[in-house]
Amino acid sequence: MPQEIPVPPWRRPKKAPPRMPLTQDRIVDTALGILDAEGLDALSMRRLAQELKTGHASLYAHVGNRDELLDLVFDLVLTEVEIPEPEPGRWAEQVKEMCRSLRRMFLSHRDLARIAIDRIPLGPNGIMGMERTLNLLRAGGLRDELAAYGGDLLSTFVTAEALEQSSRHSGAEQNREQAGMFADQLHGYLKSLPAAQFPNLVHLAGPITSLDSDRRFELGLEIIIAGLVAGAGDGVDDGVRTAGPTPAES
Amino acid sequence: MPQEIPVPPWRRPKKAPPRMPLTQDRIVDTALGILDAEGLDALSMRRLAQELKTGHASLYAHVGNRDELLDLVFDLVLTEVEIPEPEPGRWAEQVKEMCRSLRRMFLSHRDLARIAIDRIPLGPNGIMGMERTLNLLRAGGLRDELAAYGGDLLSTFVTAEALEQSSRHSGAEQNREQAGMFADQLHGYLKSLPAAQFPNLVHLAGPITSLDSDRRFELGLEIIIAGLVAGAGDGVDDGVRTAGPTPAES
DNA sequence: TCCATGAACGACCACCGTTCTATATTGGAA
DNA sequence: TTCCAATATAGAACGGTGGTCGTTCATGGA
């Protein structure tokens, strides 16, 4: 890195102040950068302030606290998720496309699933996403309750699956290699169990460990969508027998 | 509290040493106690050591580190989950019973879902549970891949749902009240959105906010089980068309 | 009785999030 | 142009965290 040379004070125009002011946007952008590069544990207020060349206490004038910062980061990346306008006859495929887009977003931002897993996206982009998601789900003819809950279930599924995938590659950065290592180790372990006591684990050691993340994801997606189109929950066994639409509001 | 009187050294039988030794079991039990009473954030090594009337450094002779301690706590509570032996003709109901038992476990131990969400239960009780779960799922006639993944999907679902429920009651202890408060606030907010821009959110404000945790859980359970019995994923659209059993191992 | 072993422990280390207070900077009014 | 009030900035400090290290000490075996 070249040595920093102080700028002579006489050539420094009035405009374009060299001291870029701290703004919430700049903080959130930088936070996302650290997250992508170094993960959630590295994203401390101090590390963030250092990146912004300021003191860590200064951040609190713009973001409230760390948790709120994570809210903002989450809402920011939500802009990357594409939720299609409904087209007739392509409902199931469009739902899958939406979930795949959400998954791509998670996989392209390290540890974001850890942030999202216990957060309800109520920022502006989150609300927009909910609206568009509901629009798509209802286009499939789902009754209100199922549309309302289906969106939750799908996004929870995608988040949890991304979380599992990223937590398997814990600690250091490793792409496919370490994941394969782990799968191999686990496979060996399961195969080594006493077959008399663990017949199913021994028998299924292959399928359990050979499912890669992509296959797991597609499989889960199909299961949930199949369950949704089956109109599950029409009659539940806890007393409520009728399937009529729930009253519009509580 | 009565004053502590030192025991005279002459009456102290050889057996039953009054100084209860630190063991891993005692540590894990105590950790679970703190977890139940005060939550995960309160479960620090120092707090735990204090409860055991010792120094926090002493714990590391028995548990490795905090993460491993949480592994052990997780495995311990897994003993509370009941996984039924398969009975003919009751498959779907038995799967539900298993999931409900798992959920009861989560709800009776504060913050346990937060511990479980990114952990693969590979302790002794976890392995036992996996075996019994696979045994039950396969009794339903699920093909290998679906049985192997179905268990994962179900447990992920139960955990995520428990996590959502417990994170809604964040911070202070609140049973139904605060949850209802939050739902009411959210309902009001959704209803207040501009209907032209957010027609679906406004229309579904009722169903979205009126679903209580129990109903959400049962609904999700039915969706997933319906998807499983539909044998989803027989033909997937990523090139693989045949549904033949995957090779026994990789 | 002596000693080796391993558990227990206090002092540290390098951090963390957050708050308080003092200072610097700035835009606008006089 | 000068001055002031409002605001942004940042340093110090607080009370915590998980984890390590070297030392002390009690206990069981020889």
Side-chain angles (χ1 to χ4, degrees):
Chain A
M1 187 188 295
Q3 184 103 5
E4 284 262 345
I5 297 179
V7 178
W10 56 86
R11 55 174 306 255
R12 188 190 298 197
K14 294 270 170 70
K15 303 225 160 196
R19 167 186 188 163
M20 198 176 344
L22 217 46
T23 65
Q24 193 180 77
D25 281 353
R26 222 157 68 81
I27 291 175
V28 174
D29 284 349
T30 308
L32 181 58
I34 294 177
L35 205 59
D36 288 347
E38 306 172 39
L40 180 57
D41 293 337
L43 179 54
S44 68
M45 302 303 272
R46 285 169 165 84
R47 175 77 187 78
L48 178 54
Q50 169 192 325
E51 200 73 10
L52 290 161
K53 299 187 200 307
T54 181
H56 63 278
S58 307
L59 304 174
Y60 288 89
H62 302 269
V63 293
N65 56 44
R66 185 173 187 263
D67 202 59
E68 187 184 307
L69 171 68
L70 297 183
D71 274 344
L72 294 169
V73 170
F74 184 30
D75 198 66
L76 172 63
V77 293
L78 247 25
T79 56
E80 301 172 15
V81 181
E82 291 163 22
I83 301 168
E85 284 296 317
E87 299 167 21
R90 296 191 62 238
W91 185 78
E93 185 53 38
Q94 286 194 298
V95 172
K96 287 187 192 176
E97 282 171 7
M98 173 180 72
C99 291
R100 291 193 192 109
S101 174
L102 180 59
R103 178 167 184 254
R104 268 194 307 272
M105 184 275 279
F106 277 128
L107 297 188
S108 65
H109 295 292
R110 168 130 76 126
D111 281 344
L112 207 93
R114 275 172 65 192
I115 295 177
I117 192 69
D118 56 357
R119 240 166 262 269
I120 304 175
L122 292 179
N125 296 315
I127 292 288
M128 275 292 303
M130 279 180 58
E131 170 66 23
R132 295 173 66 86
T133 300
L134 291 175
N135 195 48
L136 178 57
L137 289 181
R138 291 180 77 198
L142 262 45
R143 47 177 241 273
D144 284 358
E145 187 187 39
L146 220 51
Y149 180 64
D152 261 28
L153 182 59
L154 283 169
S155 67
T156 296
F157 161 72
V158 177
T159 308
E161 199 64 42
L163 182 67
E164 161 133 358
Q165 183 170 355
S166 74
S167 88
R168 240 200 271 279
H169 317 172
S170 66
E173 75 293 337
Q174 63 258 64
N175 20 27
R176 296 255 162 191
E177 204 161 331
Q178 206 106 339
M181 283 275 280
F182 177 77
D184 286 350
Q185 281 190 344
L186 183 57
H187 184 263
Y189 171 65
L190 293 178
K191 275 289 180 193
S192 78
L193 290 171
Q197 202 178 350
F198 301 100
N200 294 288
L201 279 174
V202 173
H203 176 80
L204 293 179
I208 286 175
T209 57
S210 71
L211 283 177
D212 71 338
S213 311
D214 296 342
R215 176 79 180 132
R216 289 170 57 92
F217 176 74
E218 292 294 332
L219 204 47
L221 210 46
E222 297 226 22
I223 291 169
I224 293 175
I225 292 177
L228 284 174
V229 304
D234 274 343
V236 271
D237 48 3
D238 46 323
V240 187
R241 283 245 138 254
T242 63
T246 41
E249 50 218 85
S250 64
Chain B
M1 187 189 293
Q3 184 103 5
E4 285 261 347
I5 297 179
V7 179
W10 57 86
R11 55 174 306 254
R12 187 189 300 196
K14 294 271 168 70
K15 303 223 162 198
R19 167 187 187 164
M20 199 174 346
L22 215 47
T23 65
Q24 192 180 80
D25 281 353
R26 219 156 72 80
I27 291 175
V28 175
D29 284 350
T30 308
L32 180 57
I34 294 177
L35 204 60
D36 288 346
E38 306 172 40
L40 181 58
D41 294 336
L43 179 54
S44 69
M45 301 304 272
R46 283 168 167 82
R47 175 76 187 78
L48 178 54
Q50 170 193 325
E51 200 73 10
L52 289 161
K53 298 188 199 312
T54 181
H56 71 281
S58 307
L59 304 174
Y60 288 90
H62 302 269
V63 293
N65 58 43
R66 185 175 187 261
D67 202 60
E68 188 184 307
L69 170 67
L70 297 183
D71 274 344
L72 294 169
V73 170
F74 184 30
D75 197 66
L76 172 63
V77 294
L78 246 27
T79 57
E80 301 172 16
V81 182
E82 291 163 22
I83 301 168
E85 284 296 316
E87 299 167 20
R90 297 192 61 239
W91 185 79
E93 185 52 39
Q94 287 193 297
V95 172
K96 288 188 191 175
E97 282 171 9
M98 173 180 73
C99 291
R100 292 194 191 108
S101 174
L102 180 59
R103 178 169 184 253
R104 269 195 305 273
M105 184 276 278
F106 277 128
L107 298 188
S108 65
H109 294 293
R110 167 129 76 125
D111 282 343
L112 206 91
R114 275 171 65 193
I115 296 178
I117 192 68
D118 55 358
R119 239 166 263 269
I120 304 175
L122 292 179
N125 296 315
I127 292 289
M128 274 292 303
M130 279 180 58
E131 169 66 23
R132 294 173 65 87
T133 300
L134 291 175
N135 196 48
L136 177 58
L137 289 180
R138 292 181 76 197
L142 260 45
R143 48 176 239 274
D144 285 357
E145 187 187 40
L146 219 51
Y149 181 64
D152 261 28
L153 182 60
L154 284 169
S155 67
T156 296
F157 161 72
V158 178
T159 308
E161 199 63 44
L163 183 66
E164 161 133 359
Q165 183 171 355
S166 74
S167 88
R168 241 200 270 279
H169 317 173
S170 66
E173 76 292 338
Q174 63 259 63
N175 20 27
R176 296 257 162 190
E177 204 161 331
Q178 206 105 339
M181 283 276 279
F182 177 77
D184 286 350
Q185 282 190 345
L186 183 57
H187 184 262
Y189 171 65
L190 293 177
K191 275 290 181 195
S192 79
L193 289 171
Q197 203 178 350
F198 302 99
N200 294 289
L201 280 174
V202 173
H203 176 80
L204 293 179
I208 287 175
T209 56
S210 72
L211 283 177
D212 70 338
S213 310
D214 296 342
R215 176 80 180 132
R216 288 170 57 93
F217 176 74
E218 292 293 332
L219 204 47
L221 211 45
E222 297 225 21
I223 291 169
I224 293 176
I225 292 178
L228 284 174
V229 303
D234 275 342
V236 270
D237 49 3
D238 45 323
V240 187
R241 282 246 139 253
T242 63
T246 41
E249 49 219 86
S250 64

